[in-house]
Amino acid sequence: MLIAPASIEASKGLPKLNTDINQQTNVNRHEPSPISPEDMHSGFSVPAEIAADLPTYGPEESTASQTPHNLYVCPSRITKMAFYFQHYQPNDSVISVFKSHGTLNQLLTNHIKDFQRKAFKLWPYPCIGMYEFVKFNLPTYPNYRELLALLNAGGLYLDLGCCVGQDLRHLSAAENIPAEHLYGVDLKQEFIDLGYELFLDRDHFEAHFGVSDVFDTSEDSWLIKECKGRMSVVHVGYFLHLFEYEKQVEVCQRIVELLMPKSGVMVVGRSTGSVEPGLFKHPTSGNMFRHNPESFEAMWKLVGDMTGKLFDVVCIGEPFVGRVSSGGEVFRELGVKNPLELMFSVTMKEAPESIRMKGASETDTVKEVSAIINTKEASEILEMKEALEISTGRFGQDSLEDSASVKETVDDIVKEVSAAVDMKGAPETVNMKETSEILKMKEALEIPTGGFGQDSLEDATSAKDTDDVVVSSV
C-alpha cells in the first residue's frame, strides 16, 4: 500500500499496531474444521478429461510456489468435487456485457466461418460459398402472411432441399411455429447433421428431418411415407433451378403430390432466373434451366394440366446485381447476360371439373366419373354414342363446320346426353353393376377431336365447341 509522506509524519504519534494475531484477545478465533478427502470429493462429477489433467499433489506436498493458499488439490483419480458445476446459463446481464464488448459477435462470426469451410468441402454450392445459409429469406416471399396463416392454423411445412435447415429454425424461433410441424429433407444426411452443428440444437430442436430423393417414388421413400398429401406449405429455396426444364416439371408434379389436396395450400421459393429464359451451364451444378416470370407461370400451367389442378402463380423477377461480402468481395453471375432473382408463391385453387378430370389418373377417373354420371346402365350412354357415328366415321372439326345435317344430329344427341348426364347435380354414387362399365362408357364417349364436356352440354347449339373439350369432362 502506498502512503503519502504527510500521512507518514502524521502517523508517528500513533500507538504501534500489534500484528501478532495470537496476542489480540479481542478477536474471536475459531479453529478450522478439518476437510476430509471424502467431503472434498463428494457432490458433482468432474469430466474425465478435466480430472485427468488436475495436479496430483496434496497439502503435505504443496509449497508456497505451488499452492499459495495451501489449498487441497485433488488427485487425478478423483472424478467428483463439491465445487465443480457442469451446468451454466448466462443471465441477461452477462449477455449484455459480452454483446456490448463485441465478444458474442466475434464468437458467432468465427463459428459461422468455420462452419462455411466445413460445409463447402462437402459440396461447393454457391449458397454455401456466399453465406446464403444464414440468410432467412421466407419473409421476402409473396404471400408470406398467407403462409403464416396456414402454419398458425396447424398446417405442416416442408423444406425440400433444406440443406442445413436455416428456414426451419427461423419459423420456430421468430414465428413460434411448433417444431414438430416442420419437416426438412435433403439428399445428404451430412447437411442435416451440419445444421445441428451450426445451430447447436440437436438435443432440443424437434423438427422432422429425412434423407430422400425427390425423384424416388417408391413406397420406401421418406418423402412418400412422411409427407405425401400432408403438407400445407412446400418451400423450394434455390432448388428448382438446379434442373433442366423437363426435370423441373417432374419435380413440380412430385411437389403437388406432397401437398394436401385442398384449396389454399402453397409452394414458395427462390430461384435464379434470366430475362431470356433458357438452358444455362453452371460450373458446379451442370445444366440449369432459368426462368423469367412468364415462363415460370407457363410451367405451372402445364403442371396444372398434367395433375388436374389449378394454381394461382405470383412470380417476381428482380435484376440480379450480384453479391457483395462484408469485406468488399463481389460476385456477379457467370455466363448470363441479364440475370434475375425470382421470388414466387404458387397457391392451389379449386379447379373446375374439366381440369380435375383431365389430369386424373385411371383410378381417379373411376372415382370422378362415378361422382358425376347419373344413369341406370352404362349401355344407355353406349347407345347414345352409337347414334353419333356416321358412315364416314366419327365426326371431326371439318365435318362439324361443313355439314349442317350433322350439326342437327349432334344437337339432338346432345340433348339426350344432357338428360342422362347431370353435370351440375349428380349424385355421389352410380347405379351400375361393375365399376369397369364406367371406364367402358368413358372410352365409348371419346372422339378424335374431343368429347362432350360441360360447355357442350350447357350450350347444345355450339356443336363446334366440342373440339375443345376433353373427353374426361363427362
PDB file of all heavy atoms in Angstrom, residues 137-138 141 147 157-162 166-168 171 233-239 255 266-270 344:
ATOM      1  N   ASN A 137     -34.814 -16.063 -45.801  1.00  0.00           N
ATOM      2  CA  ASN A 137     -35.497 -15.416 -46.918  1.00  0.00           C
ATOM      3  C   ASN A 137     -37.016 -15.535 -46.902  1.00  0.00           C
ATOM      4  O   ASN A 137     -37.688 -14.862 -47.690  1.00  0.00           O
ATOM      5  CB  ASN A 137     -34.975 -15.991 -48.243  1.00  0.00           C
ATOM      6  CG  ASN A 137     -33.548 -15.572 -48.540  1.00  0.00           C
ATOM      7  OD1 ASN A 137     -33.164 -14.431 -48.316  1.00  0.00           O
ATOM      8  ND2 ASN A 137     -32.747 -16.508 -49.036  1.00  0.00           N
ATOM      9  N   LEU A 138     -37.572 -16.377 -46.059  1.00  0.00           N
ATOM     10  CA  LEU A 138     -39.014 -16.610 -46.122  1.00  0.00           C
ATOM     11  C   LEU A 138     -39.849 -15.329 -46.062  1.00  0.00           C
ATOM     12  O   LEU A 138     -40.808 -15.185 -46.833  1.00  0.00           O
ATOM     13  CB  LEU A 138     -39.441 -17.554 -44.990  1.00  0.00           C
ATOM     14  CG  LEU A 138     -39.237 -19.048 -45.224  1.00  0.00           C
ATOM     15  CD1 LEU A 138     -39.632 -19.835 -43.984  1.00  0.00           C
ATOM     16  CD2 LEU A 138     -40.027 -19.528 -46.411  1.00  0.00           C
ATOM     17  N   TYR A 141     -40.881 -13.535 -49.434  1.00  0.00           N
ATOM     18  CA  TYR A 141     -41.676 -14.174 -50.479  1.00  0.00           C
ATOM     19  C   TYR A 141     -43.057 -13.545 -50.586  1.00  0.00           C
ATOM     20  O   TYR A 141     -43.625 -13.068 -49.580  1.00  0.00           O
ATOM     21  CB  TYR A 141     -41.841 -15.668 -50.186  1.00  0.00           C
ATOM     22  CG  TYR A 141     -40.559 -16.462 -50.223  1.00  0.00           C
ATOM     23  CD1 TYR A 141     -40.448 -17.662 -49.530  1.00  0.00           C
ATOM     24  CD2 TYR A 141     -39.451 -16.024 -50.925  1.00  0.00           C
ATOM     25  CE1 TYR A 141     -39.272 -18.403 -49.555  1.00  0.00           C
ATOM     26  CE2 TYR A 141     -38.278 -16.749 -50.960  1.00  0.00           C
ATOM     27  CZ  TYR A 141     -38.201 -17.938 -50.268  1.00  0.00           C
ATOM     28  OH  TYR A 141     -37.043 -18.656 -50.294  1.00  0.00           O
ATOM     29  N   LEU A 147     -48.900 -17.694 -45.875  1.00  0.00           N
ATOM     30  CA  LEU A 147     -48.100 -18.848 -45.445  1.00  0.00           C
ATOM     31  C   LEU A 147     -48.173 -19.017 -43.937  1.00  0.00           C
ATOM     32  O   LEU A 147     -48.418 -20.121 -43.423  1.00  0.00           O
ATOM     33  CB  LEU A 147     -46.651 -18.652 -45.906  1.00  0.00           C
ATOM     34  CG  LEU A 147     -45.612 -19.730 -45.587  1.00  0.00           C
ATOM     35  CD1 LEU A 147     -44.484 -19.663 -46.619  1.00  0.00           C
ATOM     36  CD2 LEU A 147     -45.019 -19.585 -44.196  1.00  0.00           C
ATOM     37  N   TYR A 157     -45.263 -27.864 -42.716  1.00  0.00           N
ATOM     38  CA  TYR A 157     -44.333 -27.159 -43.610  1.00  0.00           C
ATOM     39  C   TYR A 157     -43.194 -28.090 -43.980  1.00  0.00           C
ATOM     40  O   TYR A 157     -42.598 -28.743 -43.116  1.00  0.00           O
ATOM     41  CB  TYR A 157     -43.807 -25.922 -42.894  1.00  0.00           C
ATOM     42  CG  TYR A 157     -42.644 -25.205 -43.564  1.00  0.00           C
ATOM     43  CD1 TYR A 157     -42.864 -24.086 -44.363  1.00  0.00           C
ATOM     44  CD2 TYR A 157     -41.331 -25.619 -43.366  1.00  0.00           C
ATOM     45  CE1 TYR A 157     -41.811 -23.408 -44.963  1.00  0.00           C
ATOM     46  CE2 TYR A 157     -40.266 -24.946 -43.958  1.00  0.00           C
ATOM     47  CZ  TYR A 157     -40.511 -23.841 -44.748  1.00  0.00           C
ATOM     48  OH  TYR A 157     -39.460 -23.177 -45.332  1.00  0.00           O
ATOM     49  N   LEU A 158     -42.872 -28.149 -45.285  1.00  0.00           N
ATOM     50  CA  LEU A 158     -41.760 -28.973 -45.756  1.00  0.00           C
ATOM     51  C   LEU A 158     -40.757 -28.102 -46.489  1.00  0.00           C
ATOM     52  O   LEU A 158     -41.117 -27.349 -47.404  1.00  0.00           O
ATOM     53  CB  LEU A 158     -42.266 -30.063 -46.709  1.00  0.00           C
ATOM     54  CG  LEU A 158     -41.173 -30.853 -47.461  1.00  0.00           C
ATOM     55  CD1 LEU A 158     -40.338 -31.690 -46.490  1.00  0.00           C
ATOM     56  CD2 LEU A 158     -41.790 -31.731 -48.534  1.00  0.00           C
ATOM     57  N   ASP A 159     -39.486 -28.209 -46.101  1.00  0.00           N
ATOM     58  CA  ASP A 159     -38.396 -27.556 -46.817  1.00  0.00           C
ATOM     59  C   ASP A 159     -37.730 -28.611 -47.689  1.00  0.00           C
ATOM     60  O   ASP A 159     -37.048 -29.499 -47.186  1.00  0.00           O
ATOM     61  CB  ASP A 159     -37.393 -26.957 -45.827  1.00  0.00           C
ATOM     62  CG  ASP A 159     -36.483 -25.926 -46.480  1.00  0.00           C
ATOM     63  OD1 ASP A 159     -36.237 -26.056 -47.686  1.00  0.00           O
ATOM     64  OD2 ASP A 159     -36.025 -25.002 -45.778  1.00  0.00           O
ATOM     65  N   LEU A 160     -37.974 -28.524 -49.003  1.00  0.00           N
ATOM     66  CA  LEU A 160     -37.466 -29.510 -49.950  1.00  0.00           C
ATOM     67  C   LEU A 160     -36.078 -29.075 -50.421  1.00  0.00           C
ATOM     68  O   LEU A 160     -35.933 -28.032 -51.057  1.00  0.00           O
ATOM     69  CB  LEU A 160     -38.427 -29.630 -51.137  1.00  0.00           C
ATOM     70  CG  LEU A 160     -38.157 -30.719 -52.173  1.00  0.00           C
ATOM     71  CD1 LEU A 160     -38.196 -32.098 -51.534  1.00  0.00           C
ATOM     72  CD2 LEU A 160     -39.172 -30.631 -53.305  1.00  0.00           C
ATOM     73  N   GLY A 161     -35.071 -29.877 -50.098  1.00  0.00           N
ATOM     74  CA  GLY A 161     -33.695 -29.455 -50.328  1.00  0.00           C
ATOM     75  C   GLY A 161     -33.278 -28.483 -49.253  1.00  0.00           C
ATOM     76  O   GLY A 161     -32.784 -27.387 -49.526  1.00  0.00           O
ATOM     77  N   CYS A 162     -33.485 -28.867 -47.988  1.00  0.00           N
ATOM     78  CA  CYS A 162     -33.365 -27.947 -46.856  1.00  0.00           C
ATOM     79  C   CYS A 162     -31.937 -27.551 -46.537  1.00  0.00           C
ATOM     80  O   CYS A 162     -31.713 -26.585 -45.807  1.00  0.00           O
ATOM     81  CB  CYS A 162     -34.009 -28.550 -45.615  1.00  0.00           C
ATOM     82  SG  CYS A 162     -33.181 -30.037 -44.976  1.00  0.00           S
ATOM     83  N   GLN A 166     -31.949 -23.789 -42.186  1.00  0.00           N
ATOM     84  CA  GLN A 166     -31.989 -22.491 -41.516  1.00  0.00           C
ATOM     85  C   GLN A 166     -33.392 -21.895 -41.472  1.00  0.00           C
ATOM     86  O   GLN A 166     -33.775 -21.247 -40.481  1.00  0.00           O
ATOM     87  CB  GLN A 166     -31.021 -21.510 -42.186  1.00  0.00           C
ATOM     88  CG  GLN A 166     -31.411 -21.028 -43.571  1.00  0.00           C
ATOM     89  CD  GLN A 166     -30.907 -21.953 -44.667  1.00  0.00           C
ATOM     90  OE1 GLN A 166     -30.536 -23.089 -44.414  1.00  0.00           O
ATOM     91  NE2 GLN A 166     -30.885 -21.463 -45.902  1.00  0.00           N
ATOM     92  N   ASP A 167     -34.195 -22.122 -42.527  1.00  0.00           N
ATOM     93  CA  ASP A 167     -35.539 -21.545 -42.525  1.00  0.00           C
ATOM     94  C   ASP A 167     -36.470 -22.264 -41.560  1.00  0.00           C
ATOM     95  O   ASP A 167     -37.428 -21.669 -41.052  1.00  0.00           O
ATOM     96  CB  ASP A 167     -36.109 -21.560 -43.942  1.00  0.00           C
ATOM     97  CG  ASP A 167     -35.417 -20.557 -44.849  1.00  0.00           C
ATOM     98  OD1 ASP A 167     -35.374 -19.370 -44.487  1.00  0.00           O
ATOM     99  OD2 ASP A 167     -34.882 -20.953 -45.896  1.00  0.00           O
ATOM    100  N   LEU A 168     -36.217 -23.521 -41.292  1.00  0.00           N
ATOM    101  CA  LEU A 168     -36.982 -24.224 -40.269  1.00  0.00           C
ATOM    102  C   LEU A 168     -36.724 -23.584 -38.909  1.00  0.00           C
ATOM    103  O   LEU A 168     -37.656 -23.385 -38.107  1.00  0.00           O
ATOM    104  CB  LEU A 168     -36.576 -25.696 -40.227  1.00  0.00           C
ATOM    105  CG  LEU A 168     -36.821 -26.510 -41.495  1.00  0.00           C
ATOM    106  CD1 LEU A 168     -36.183 -27.886 -41.369  1.00  0.00           C
ATOM    107  CD2 LEU A 168     -38.304 -26.648 -41.777  1.00  0.00           C
ATOM    108  N   LEU A 171     -38.613 -20.208 -38.649  1.00  0.00           N
ATOM    109  CA  LEU A 171     -40.043 -20.342 -38.334  1.00  0.00           C
ATOM    110  C   LEU A 171     -40.262 -20.689 -36.871  1.00  0.00           C
ATOM    111  O   LEU A 171     -41.194 -20.199 -36.230  1.00  0.00           O
ATOM    112  CB  LEU A 171     -40.666 -21.411 -39.230  1.00  0.00           C
ATOM    113  CG  LEU A 171     -40.856 -21.028 -40.693  1.00  0.00           C
ATOM    114  CD1 LEU A 171     -41.294 -22.232 -41.509  1.00  0.00           C
ATOM    115  CD2 LEU A 171     -41.872 -19.897 -40.835  1.00  0.00           C
ATOM    116  N   VAL A 233     -47.555 -26.253 -46.830  1.00  0.00           N
ATOM    117  CA  VAL A 233     -46.572 -25.389 -47.485  1.00  0.00           C
ATOM    118  C   VAL A 233     -45.363 -26.231 -47.859  1.00  0.00           C
ATOM    119  O   VAL A 233     -44.859 -27.007 -47.037  1.00  0.00           O
ATOM    120  CB  VAL A 233     -46.116 -24.231 -46.571  1.00  0.00           C
ATOM    121  CG1 VAL A 233     -45.076 -23.363 -47.283  1.00  0.00           C
ATOM    122  CG2 VAL A 233     -47.304 -23.382 -46.120  1.00  0.00           C
ATOM    123  N   VAL A 234     -44.900 -26.076 -49.091  1.00  0.00           N
ATOM    124  CA  VAL A 234     -43.636 -26.691 -49.521  1.00  0.00           C
ATOM    125  C   VAL A 234     -42.711 -25.569 -49.969  1.00  0.00           C
ATOM    126  O   VAL A 234     -43.081 -24.754 -50.820  1.00  0.00           O
ATOM    127  CB  VAL A 234     -43.839 -27.704 -50.663  1.00  0.00           C
ATOM    128  CG1 VAL A 234     -42.487 -28.219 -51.153  1.00  0.00           C
ATOM    129  CG2 VAL A 234     -44.700 -28.866 -50.190  1.00  0.00           C
ATOM    130  N   HIS A 235     -41.540 -25.532 -49.380  1.00  0.00           N
ATOM    131  CA  HIS A 235     -40.553 -24.495 -49.688  1.00  0.00           C
ATOM    132  C   HIS A 235     -39.463 -25.095 -50.577  1.00  0.00           C
ATOM    133  O   HIS A 235     -38.892 -26.130 -50.248  1.00  0.00           O
ATOM    134  CB  HIS A 235     -39.943 -23.963 -48.394  1.00  0.00           C
ATOM    135  CG  HIS A 235     -38.866 -22.935 -48.610  1.00  0.00           C
ATOM    136  ND1 HIS A 235     -37.753 -22.855 -47.822  1.00  0.00           N
ATOM    137  CD2 HIS A 235     -38.736 -21.967 -49.549  1.00  0.00           C
ATOM    138  CE1 HIS A 235     -36.982 -21.869 -48.242  1.00  0.00           C
ATOM    139  NE2 HIS A 235     -37.556 -21.316 -49.295  1.00  0.00           N
ATOM    140  N   VAL A 236     -39.166 -24.414 -51.690  1.00  0.00           N
ATOM    141  CA  VAL A 236     -38.094 -24.835 -52.588  1.00  0.00           C
ATOM    142  C   VAL A 236     -37.175 -23.635 -52.817  1.00  0.00           C
ATOM    143  O   VAL A 236     -37.278 -22.944 -53.826  1.00  0.00           O
ATOM    144  CB  VAL A 236     -38.642 -25.401 -53.920  1.00  0.00           C
ATOM    145  CG1 VAL A 236     -39.108 -26.817 -53.750  1.00  0.00           C
ATOM    146  CG2 VAL A 236     -39.785 -24.535 -54.465  1.00  0.00           C
ATOM    147  N   GLY A 237     -36.288 -23.389 -51.866  1.00  0.00           N
ATOM    148  CA  GLY A 237     -35.371 -22.263 -51.946  1.00  0.00           C
ATOM    149  C   GLY A 237     -34.119 -22.624 -52.720  1.00  0.00           C
ATOM    150  O   GLY A 237     -33.376 -23.520 -52.309  1.00  0.00           O
ATOM    151  N   TYR A 238     -33.893 -21.925 -53.851  1.00  0.00           N
ATOM    152  CA  TYR A 238     -32.728 -22.184 -54.703  1.00  0.00           C
ATOM    153  C   TYR A 238     -32.609 -23.676 -55.025  1.00  0.00           C
ATOM    154  O   TYR A 238     -31.548 -24.275 -54.915  1.00  0.00           O
ATOM    155  CB  TYR A 238     -31.448 -21.689 -54.030  1.00  0.00           C
ATOM    156  CG  TYR A 238     -31.410 -20.191 -53.853  1.00  0.00           C
ATOM    157  CD1 TYR A 238     -31.351 -19.614 -52.594  1.00  0.00           C
ATOM    158  CD2 TYR A 238     -31.444 -19.351 -54.959  1.00  0.00           C
ATOM    159  CE1 TYR A 238     -31.330 -18.234 -52.439  1.00  0.00           C
ATOM    160  CE2 TYR A 238     -31.416 -17.971 -54.812  1.00  0.00           C
ATOM    161  CZ  TYR A 238     -31.360 -17.424 -53.544  1.00  0.00           C
ATOM    162  OH  TYR A 238     -31.340 -16.053 -53.405  1.00  0.00           O
ATOM    163  N   PHE A 239     -33.720 -24.268 -55.421  1.00  0.00           N
ATOM    164  CA  PHE A 239     -33.766 -25.708 -55.673  1.00  0.00           C
ATOM    165  C   PHE A 239     -34.180 -26.028 -57.103  1.00  0.00           C
ATOM    166  O   PHE A 239     -33.498 -26.772 -57.801  1.00  0.00           O
ATOM    167  CB  PHE A 239     -34.719 -26.378 -54.675  1.00  0.00           C
ATOM    168  CG  PHE A 239     -34.828 -27.868 -54.837  1.00  0.00           C
ATOM    169  CD1 PHE A 239     -33.801 -28.691 -54.426  1.00  0.00           C
ATOM    170  CD2 PHE A 239     -35.953 -28.446 -55.406  1.00  0.00           C
ATOM    171  CE1 PHE A 239     -33.884 -30.071 -54.571  1.00  0.00           C
ATOM    172  CE2 PHE A 239     -36.054 -29.813 -55.557  1.00  0.00           C
ATOM    173  CZ  PHE A 239     -35.010 -30.630 -55.136  1.00  0.00           C
ATOM    174  N   ILE A 255     -44.084 -32.320 -56.087  1.00  0.00           N
ATOM    175  CA  ILE A 255     -44.484 -31.367 -55.051  1.00  0.00           C
ATOM    176  C   ILE A 255     -45.996 -31.370 -54.880  1.00  0.00           C
ATOM    177  O   ILE A 255     -46.516 -31.350 -53.759  1.00  0.00           O
ATOM    178  CB  ILE A 255     -43.970 -29.957 -55.396  1.00  0.00           C
ATOM    179  CG1 ILE A 255     -42.446 -29.908 -55.273  1.00  0.00           C
ATOM    180  CG2 ILE A 255     -44.602 -28.913 -54.484  1.00  0.00           C
ATOM    181  CD1 ILE A 255     -41.839 -28.601 -55.737  1.00  0.00           C
ATOM    182  N   MET A 266     -49.811 -24.066 -50.566  1.00  0.00           N
ATOM    183  CA  MET A 266     -48.934 -23.309 -51.454  1.00  0.00           C
ATOM    184  C   MET A 266     -47.517 -23.852 -51.521  1.00  0.00           C
ATOM    185  O   MET A 266     -47.054 -24.589 -50.654  1.00  0.00           O
ATOM    186  CB  MET A 266     -48.898 -21.841 -51.030  1.00  0.00           C
ATOM    187  CG  MET A 266     -48.337 -21.592 -49.644  1.00  0.00           C
ATOM    188  SD  MET A 266     -48.105 -19.800 -49.299  1.00  0.00           S
ATOM    189  CE  MET A 266     -49.741 -19.165 -49.613  1.00  0.00           C
ATOM    190  N   VAL A 267     -46.830 -23.413 -52.592  1.00  0.00           N
ATOM    191  CA  VAL A 267     -45.412 -23.653 -52.815  1.00  0.00           C
ATOM    192  C   VAL A 267     -44.745 -22.290 -52.864  1.00  0.00           C
ATOM    193  O   VAL A 267     -45.227 -21.388 -53.557  1.00  0.00           O
ATOM    194  CB  VAL A 267     -45.171 -24.402 -54.144  1.00  0.00           C
ATOM    195  CG1 VAL A 267     -43.688 -24.699 -54.330  1.00  0.00           C
ATOM    196  CG2 VAL A 267     -45.991 -25.672 -54.205  1.00  0.00           C
ATOM    197  N   VAL A 268     -43.654 -22.115 -52.131  1.00  0.00           N
ATOM    198  CA  VAL A 268     -42.937 -20.849 -52.147  1.00  0.00           C
ATOM    199  C   VAL A 268     -41.455 -21.113 -52.375  1.00  0.00           C
ATOM    200  O   VAL A 268     -40.967 -22.225 -52.140  1.00  0.00           O
ATOM    201  CB  VAL A 268     -43.122 -20.068 -50.832  1.00  0.00           C
ATOM    202  CG1 VAL A 268     -44.575 -19.708 -50.597  1.00  0.00           C
ATOM    203  CG2 VAL A 268     -42.576 -20.860 -49.641  1.00  0.00           C
ATOM    204  N   GLY A 269     -40.743 -20.089 -52.832  1.00  0.00           N
ATOM    205  CA  GLY A 269     -39.322 -20.302 -53.012  1.00  0.00           C
ATOM    206  C   GLY A 269     -38.628 -19.178 -53.747  1.00  0.00           C
ATOM    207  O   GLY A 269     -39.211 -18.132 -54.041  1.00  0.00           O
ATOM    208  N   ARG A 270     -37.354 -19.425 -54.008  1.00  0.00           N
ATOM    209  CA  ARG A 270     -36.499 -18.526 -54.777  1.00  0.00           C
ATOM    210  C   ARG A 270     -35.770 -19.330 -55.834  1.00  0.00           C
ATOM    211  O   ARG A 270     -35.481 -20.509 -55.632  1.00  0.00           O
ATOM    212  CB  ARG A 270     -35.465 -17.844 -53.881  1.00  0.00           C
ATOM    213  CG  ARG A 270     -35.924 -16.582 -53.192  1.00  0.00           C
ATOM    214  CD  ARG A 270     -34.810 -16.026 -52.317  1.00  0.00           C
ATOM    215  NE  ARG A 270     -35.203 -14.770 -51.726  1.00  0.00           N
ATOM    216  CZ  ARG A 270     -34.752 -13.568 -52.099  1.00  0.00           C
ATOM    217  NH1 ARG A 270     -33.865 -13.497 -53.079  1.00  0.00           N
ATOM    218  NH2 ARG A 270     -35.169 -12.470 -51.508  1.00  0.00           N
ATOM    219  N   PHE A 344     -41.239 -16.424 -55.594  1.00  0.00           N
ATOM    220  CA  PHE A 344     -42.542 -16.872 -56.076  1.00  0.00           C
ATOM    221  C   PHE A 344     -43.366 -17.533 -54.988  1.00  0.00           C
ATOM    222  O   PHE A 344     -42.849 -18.016 -53.975  1.00  0.00           O
ATOM    223  CB  PHE A 344     -42.371 -17.850 -57.244  1.00  0.00           C
ATOM    224  CG  PHE A 344     -41.509 -19.045 -56.937  1.00  0.00           C
ATOM    225  CD1 PHE A 344     -42.035 -20.170 -56.311  1.00  0.00           C
ATOM    226  CD2 PHE A 344     -40.160 -19.060 -57.272  1.00  0.00           C
ATOM    227  CE1 PHE A 344     -41.243 -21.271 -56.028  1.00  0.00           C
ATOM    228  CE2 PHE A 344     -39.358 -20.151 -57.005  1.00  0.00           C
ATOM    229  CZ  PHE A 344     -39.903 -21.263 -56.383  1.00  0.00           C
TER     230      PHE A 344
END
